[in-house]
Structure formats: structure tokens, C-alpha cells
Amino acid sequence: MDQARAASGAAPVTEFRKTLSTRHGVIIALANISPTVSVGIGLSFLAALAGTAMPAAFLLAALPILAVSGGYARLAARDPNCGTAYIWVRRALGPWAGYLTGWTSVATNILFLSYAGQLTGQFTLGLLAEAGVTAVSPDDSLAVTVTGLLWSVLIVLSAVRGVKGATLVQSLLLGISAVVVTAIVITAFARGGAASVSASWFSPFAFPDTLTLLGATVMAAYMFWGWESAFSVVEESTSVRSSGRAGTIAILVTLGFFLFSATGFLHALRPEQLADPLSGVTELARTSYGTTGAVAALAAMLFATVACMQSSVIAGARLTLAMGRDGVLGTSWARLHPAWGTPVTSTVRISALAVGVSLTGLAVGSLSEVVVAVVNSVGILVSLMYGMGGLACVVTFRHELRGRLRDTLVLGVFPLAGGIALLLLGCLVAYEQWTSVDHLAFDAENGRFLTVLPLTVIALGVPAALWTRYRRKAAYFTQPPVPLPPVAASARAGA
């Protein structure tokens, strides 16, 4: 019927179809967080800093994340917009703060997709080499980039056909990767003997000093990055409250998986093995199950990364669509496909920009280091974006904080505490990285370089904001936000 309407010249589709449930939101959020990839290649970095206190770091990191997610849930229920924090921060703190929040989110999304494209290429070639199918090395930059490009095309085709179908693919990929990694961790519990499981691993007092505690908490918080993608599809959900439930469920499931995996690895691997990325999931699987185990582990990493890219494309496309609706970007960014009801233009352009960065990095080797460095230091940007979201909730609902105690806590105390904590943690990371070395160098491991890069991403948004405000004259900067519906109306909408 949509195709016939489009062919007949009827008005274009301007609203998303409401077809998604809480389950779909959970899948999108889990795919974006990609906990199996974090366990596969991220635990080693956290272990190098936190040691046996890894479980405690995850518990501490989850607290401000859950606090802010509660604020997001209330904002989504009262102001359901796929622009999420880009819209909510504008309402609370003004268009300049909102624009920079959206700019930062889009920039990190594109940089992450370019980085993840390289990861899919490496995992694919590593998997094929391990299985004896091909001898192409996963260190071959050209082969890795081309393979990642092919995956990007498949991901875009899946995303533009519809989110509901995409979540089916994501659930399959996530399910396989979760089963494989869970089996490896169970084996670690059964056969490991490097250390006995201890309750002290879960205690914040297990850290040697306060700076280590804070640094490990920030790194652990970064590993939860992606839960907010559940809110990017709020306009496609059958209930405005689905996104809030989905975000919370995804965070709790991820926390449980992180605690389970970290405990198993601490039990099975010696400290020097755990701190080595090459001795993580793949090598543990190889030790227990030989080549078959290594192949399964690489397949799990590949599947989870593909699902993560797909979810990131979905979330990024909806954010840029919201920007197109507000005049921040051209109106073509806001187009919905007449038959599929998806933001095809935004999806293709976001992916094309990421591919462009990846290809440019292939031609200019130093750019690849920049991309990797930004991704490694994105914890600063993530902390700032989540912190701004928490503050936006408090300011937006400041006149409603004198009602029930539950509302005071969920709308005020928790988002405020979580937002301030994340902002301070982001500043701490910047300070620690800056003071870790005595000079600035163009090096992906240089602390000052890792501090300057994310701040540069934010700074570049200032001239872009000025051009958008005074040359494009975007409605986002000039028109007041639409008033929030009364509480009773929003409650009925989410019923």
C-alpha cells in the first residue's frame, strides 16, 4: 500500500511505524554494547589497570549508568524523539549545548563505525586463516579494509529494510556469540586454577588507591557504551515506555555477563596472561578446545561486531534524521523510505562517511592511528554525553521534584548524582592521560594526544554550530521547543 501511495504521488511518509516492543529495544541496545566483544578484547585493558578488582569496577560503573538511564527513560516517555539527548539537552540547557551533544554523538558514531569496519575485516580474515580456508593475513591492511567494506554494505542493506528484521539478525548473531563466550567462561571456571574466586574481587576496597579505582571505573563505564541506542527507536516503539525498560534490562544483562566473565577469567588466567589481549577468549578457547575452539571464538567476535555495527548504524541514522527535521542538516536526511519506513538516506550517508574515514586511513596511515586513538579515548566523550543527559533530566523536570519521593529520586537525585559522577570521571580521565606523559606526540598511545583528540572533536563542533545557526538559520536554534505533554497524557501514551 505504501508503494502504491508513493507511485501515485501521495504525500511522502513522515512518521515511523510503531512496530517495536521492549524485546526489540533490548536486542538493539545489547548489540550496540556488544558485551561479548568487550569480554573478548576489552577485559585485558581493564585487567591491566584494575587487576583482581575488575568485578568491583563493573559494579561501580553500573551505578551512574543506571542512574542516568532512569532519567533517559522519563525523558523518552514525556518527549519521545529519536534525537534523544540532542533534543533533550537542547530543551534543558539550550540549543548550543544540545547541538554539541548531537555533534559529538554523530562524530563518535562515524569514527567507531570506521574502526569497527576494520575489526570485522580482521576477525573475518583471522577466522578464515584459523580454519585453513585462506592464507590472507589479518594484518594485511588492504584486505582488512576491503573485507570490512563488504560487511558494511551488507549491514546497510539489512538496516534499511527495517529495524524489526534487523533485530532478528542481531538476535541470531548475539545469541551465537553469547553461547560461545559463555561456554569458554564456564570452561574457565571448570578447568582454571590460577586463583580461587574471592569475595574481595567485588569490593571497592580491593583497589590499591583512589586514582586506580576512579580510572578503572571510567574504563568499565566505557564498556557499557551503547545502552542509549534503545532510545533511538522510541518513535518506532508501540509504547513510549518500552525504550526505558529496554535500556535498563540491557544494562543489567550486560553487568551480569561482565561479572560472570571477569570472575571466570580471574580464576583461569594468571595476571600476566589476563593483561595480554592475545591470551583472552581466543587463546583460552584454543587451550581448551584446540583449533575448533579458536575458530568458534573468532566467529563469536565477528558476529558480535557485525551486530554492533548494525545497531550503531540504526542509532546514528535516527539521530541525523532528527537533525534533518530540525534544519541542522539538509531535509534529505529526514526522508523515510515509502515502503520500508526507514531513514534510508541517513543510513547510507552515515555508513558512507564511516567507510570514507576508513579508506582515507588506508591511504594515510597516520589517520588510522587517529581513529584508533579516538576510539580508545572515547570514554571522555561518552562520560560527557551521558553526564549532560543526566543534567538535562534534572533541569527538565525541576518543577516536578516536590511530588512523590519516587519521582524526586528518579527525576532528580539519581540523574543528578549519576550525571555529575560521569562528568567528573570524564574530567579525571583527561587529567590522568595528560599528566601521564611530559610531552604531546602524534602517537595513539600518547596520553596528551588521547586527551587532545576527543576535545578536538568537541571543538570542531563550535564553527559547525555557528554556520548552522547563522548561515543555515536552522529552526533548532531559533524556534522554542515544543512544550512537554502533561504527566497524565504521557502516562496514557505509555500504557
Side-chain angles (χ1 to χ4, degrees):
M1 186 169 65
D2 289 323
Q3 289 174 323
R5 184 171 64 245
S8 65
V13 178
T14 58
E15 295 184 358
F16 286 107
R17 298 170 183 164
K18 299 186 182 299
T19 61
L20 305 182
S21 66
T22 299
R23 177 176 60 85
H24 296 110
V26 171
I27 293 171
I28 291 171
L30 285 176
N32 211 326
I33 298 171
S34 195
T36 50
V37 174
S38 294
V39 168
I41 62 177
L43 280 187
S44 59
F45 297 102
L46 182 59
L49 179 61
T52 57
M54 272 200 301
F58 285 125
L59 287 171
L60 290 173
L63 294 177
I65 296 292
L66 283 169
V68 170
S69 72
Y72 269 59
R74 292 301 184 95
L75 286 165
R78 294 285 294 280
D79 188 10
N81 193 300
C82 63
T84 61
Y86 155 78
I87 294 295
W88 302 331
V89 172
R90 178 216 182 195
R91 177 186 296 280
L93 305 176
W96 294 94
Y99 179 90
L100 289 177
T101 299
W103 166 275
T104 302
S105 182
V106 171
T108 53
N109 187 277
I110 291 171
L111 288 168
F112 170 76
L113 285 171
S114 67
Y115 171 75
Q118 297 287 329
L119 278 183
T120 58
Q122 290 177 341
F123 286 140
T124 301
L125 295 178
L127 173 62
L128 295 175
E130 191 72 46
V133 176
T134 177
V136 179
S137 171
D139 295 324
D140 185 327
S141 298
L142 178 59
V144 165
T145 302
V146 171
T147 305
L149 175 59
L150 294 175
W151 275 115
S152 296
V153 172
L154 293 175
I155 287 167
V156 169
L157 290 175
S158 174
V160 298
R161 295 286 296 184
V163 177
K164 203 167 185 177
T167 59
L168 292 176
V169 176
Q170 291 174 353
S171 60
L172 177 62
L173 297 176
L174 286 174
I176 294 173
S177 63
V179 167
V180 171
V181 175
T182 298
I184 293 171
V185 176
I186 290 175
T187 303
F189 274 109
R191 301 183 182 180
S196 299
V197 177
S198 172
S200 65
W201 297 351
F202 300 83
S203 170
F205 300 105
F207 294 94
D209 53 65
T210 303
L211 287 179
T212 301
L213 181 152
L214 295 174
T217 301
V218 172
M219 188 175 295
Y222 164 52
M223 293 171 70
F224 285 91
W225 181 30
W227 59 266
E228 75 285 356
S229 59
F231 297 91
S232 67
V233 293
V234 64
E235 294 185 41
E236 297 158 82
S237 300
T238 54
S239 168
V240 293
R241 299 190 184 279
S242 291
S243 292
R245 291 192 289 264
T248 301
I249 292 171
I251 294 169
L252 293 176
V253 169
T254 299
L255 174 61
F257 190 76
F258 281 163
L259 294 175
F260 169 68
S261 301
T263 305
F265 276 44
L266 287 171
H267 176 62
L269 298 174
R270 298 188 302 276
E272 62 273 15
Q273 291 178 303
L274 186 58
D276 181 2
L278 297 179
S279 295
V281 167
T282 303
E283 289 306 309
L284 190 58
R286 188 196 307 277
T287 300
S288 301
Y289 302 104
T291 301
T292 302
V295 169
L298 284 169
M301 296 299 101
L302 172 62
F303 292 164
T305 304
V306 170
C308 181
M309 286 185 66
Q310 189 182 56
S311 181
S312 297
V313 166
I314 289 170
R318 279 144 184 80
L319 173 55
T320 51
L321 177 142
M323 290 179 160
R325 289 190 305 207
D326 293 335
V328 169
L329 296 175
T331 55
S332 60
W333 287 82
R335 291 175 186 161
L336 292 175
H337 192 278
W340 301 325
T342 57
V344 176
T345 303
S346 292
T347 302
V348 172
R349 288 178 179 176
I350 280 286
S351 302
L353 287 170
V355 169
V357 172
S358 185
L359 291 175
T360 305
L362 178 64
V364 185
S366 58
L367 182 60
S368 295
E369 293 188 17
V370 173
V371 173
V372 172
V374 170
V375 172
N376 288 341
S377 63
V378 79
I380 295 175
L381 297 176
V382 171
S383 297
L384 294 177
M385 288 188 293
Y386 289 169
M388 294 293 285
L391 296 182
C393 176
V394 178
V395 175
T396 299
F397 298 120
R398 63 189 182 278
H399 300 302
E400 302 177 23
L401 300 181
R402 297 181 180 179
R404 296 180 303 170
L405 176 61
R406 182 171 180 268
D407 288 337
T408 302
L409 294 175
V410 175
L411 298 177
V413 176
F414 292 160
L416 179 63
I420 291 177
L422 289 169
L423 287 172
L424 291 177
L425 287 172
C427 293
L428 171 69
V429 171
Y431 172 79
E432 290 228 324
Q433 288 181 166
W434 185 265
T435 57
S436 65
V437 293
D438 57 5
H439 66 287
L440 175 64
F442 194 86
D443 184 344
E445 296 183 359
N446 181 273
R448 297 196 176 189
F449 186 56
L450 293 177
T451 303
V452 169
L453 272 178
L455 298 180
T456 301
V457 169
I458 298 175
L460 289 175
V462 175
L466 291 169
W467 186 87
T468 303
R469 168 64 179 86
Y470 295 106
R471 293 288 296 176
R472 185 182 285 276
K473 300 186 185 301
Y476 180 84
F477 284 92
T478 58
Q479 296 180 4
V482 177
L484 286 175
V487 177
S490 64
R492 286 194 298 270

